[in-house]
Amino acid sequence: MADKPSAPPRAWQRMLSGRRLDLLDPSPLDVEIADIAHGLARVARWNGQTRGDHAFSVAQHSLLVEEIFARAAPTCSAEERLAALLHDAPNT
């Protein structure tokens, strides 16, 4: 909702880094990798439906998948390892 009736609509999120991410007009300059990593570390994988005292986070899952992939394909390229690391990115 706009501040004034004549003001354009705005929707933004304050990130951990202090940056404001404009959700209606995002810019790559507003994205910090540390903000993404922090957020993924706080999101429970499988909605928390895992055993143990703590939820298994999306960040933990992504790092584990990348490690398994790199061990299974030791000659893989850095680009392929990045694809394994970010395999869930289109779903988030």
Side-chain angles (χ1 to χ4, degrees):
M1 181 171 177
D3 294 329
K4 297 177 184 177
S6 61
R10 66 180 187 140
W12 54 269
Q13 172 67 42
R14 176 79 60 195
M15 306 305 285
L16 183 66
S17 64
R19 292 182 181 265
R20 280 185 8 175
L21 177 60
D22 185 339
L23 301 174
L24 300 176
D25 186 23
S27 166
L29 300 175
D30 295 333
V31 177
E32 289 287 332
I33 192 70
D35 289 332
I36 294 169
H38 179 81
L40 292 177
R42 292 177 154 227
V43 175
R45 180 75 177 160
W46 300 295
N47 294 320
Q49 299 299 312
T50 57
R51 293 187 184 271
D53 294 335
H54 305 284
F56 186 65
S57 76
V58 172
Q60 289 171 305
H61 166 77
S62 297
L63 290 170
L64 184 60
V65 167
E66 187 274 334
E67 184 175 337
I68 291 169
F69 174 76
R71 288 183 184 193
T75 60
C76 64
S77 67
E79 185 176 272
E80 290 168 325
R81 288 180 72 163
L82 182 60
L85 181 66
L86 300 175
H87 72 279
D88 279 337
N91 300 320
T92 57

